[in-house]
């Protein structure tokens, strides 16, 4: 059995679809932040998952800069647990954001956001549960790396 130490102050991101945690870490900026300690657990056993597996990310340190609602864009089943002084303070499921600004880029080469460098990449959650570019209406879904 693999043993990862518990964190004293930080956040545990749990119930991540197996194989998508690395893409989530990049999207959240965890791969560039050197002020936190990050543990990545891939393909952990899960009784709740239909596949029987999940990914987990543990972040020790100041996580206040993380955009937690972006996680729900990737996977609505993700949960996060806030840890302070070695104790669980709260456990939550993030809400899908209605709007994503400069989180993802439009893949449509004819979109104004692709052609103009100063143009923000803005996507809104549509009634069918998918995100659409506000400029060209291109539907997007998270593609794990």
């Amino acid at each position: 059995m693999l043993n990862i130490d518990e964190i004293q102050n930080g956040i545990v991101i749990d119930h991540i679809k197996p194989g998508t945690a690395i893409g989530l870490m990049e999207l959240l900026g965890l791969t560039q932040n050197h002020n936190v300690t990050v543990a990545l657990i891939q393909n952990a056993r899960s009784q709740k998952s239909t596949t029987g597996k999940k990914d987990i990310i543990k972040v020790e340190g100041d996580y206040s800069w993380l955009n937690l609602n972006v996680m729900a864009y990737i996977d609505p089943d993700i949960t996060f647990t806030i840890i302070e002084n070695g104790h669980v303070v709260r456990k939550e499921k993030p809400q899908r954001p209605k709007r994503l600004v400069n989180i993802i880029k439009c893949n449509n080469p004819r979109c104004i956001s692709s052609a103009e460098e100063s143009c923000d990449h803005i996507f809104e959650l549509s009634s069918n549960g998918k995100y659409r570019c506000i400029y060209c209406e291109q539907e997007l879904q998270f593609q794990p790396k």
Side-chain angles (χ1 to χ4, degrees):
M1 178 75 166
L2 179 66
N3 188 21
I4 305 286
D5 289 340
E6 63 183 38
I7 61 176
Q8 293 300 306
N9 293 293
I11 186 169
V12 177
I13 305 168
D14 200 356
H15 302 104
I16 305 167
K17 284 181 190 169
T20 63
I22 292 175
L24 176 61
M25 288 176 59
E26 289 176 8
L27 190 66
L28 292 172
L30 288 170
T31 56
Q32 293 90 18
N33 191 317
H34 301 285
N35 295 324
V36 294
T37 302
V38 179
L40 168 63
I41 304 162
Q42 292 184 292
N43 297 313
R45 287 183 291 262
S46 172
Q47 295 176 350
K48 291 183 180 181
S49 171
T50 57
T51 63
K53 299 203 178 282
K54 66 180 178 179
D55 288 356
I56 304 167
I57 300 171
K58 291 185 172 188
V59 180
E60 173 84 33
D62 180 23
Y63 61 89
S64 61
W65 53 274
L66 287 174
N67 182 349
L68 299 177
N69 286 327
V70 169
M71 291 185 284
Y73 152 65
I74 296 165
D75 183 353
D77 295 326
I78 285 178
T79 61
F80 60 87
T81 304
I82 307 300
I83 311 290
E84 291 178 6
N85 299 317
H87 299 293
V88 173
V89 174
R90 73 179 194 269
K91 188 171 187 172
E92 292 184 21
K93 202 171 183 176
Q95 299 296 313
R96 293 184 80 194
K98 291 180 176 32
R99 183 176 262 222
L100 298 170
V101 179
N102 294 327
I103 303 293
I104 51 177
K105 294 183 178 183
C106 186
N107 294 331
N108 182 353
R110 288 181 268 150
C111 180
I112 187 76
S113 66
S114 297
E116 296 291 328
E117 288 184 31
S118 62
C119 188
D120 286 333
H121 297 272
I122 304 172
F123 296 85
E124 289 188 343
L125 186 60
S126 64
S127 59
N128 68 357
K130 295 185 179 179
Y131 287 93
R132 289 182 178 267
C133 176
I134 66 164
Y135 307 108
C136 70
E137 296 291 315
Q138 176 84 27
E139 273 190 2
L140 295 179
Q141 291 183 349
F142 176 71
Q143 299 296 320
K145 293 183 180 187

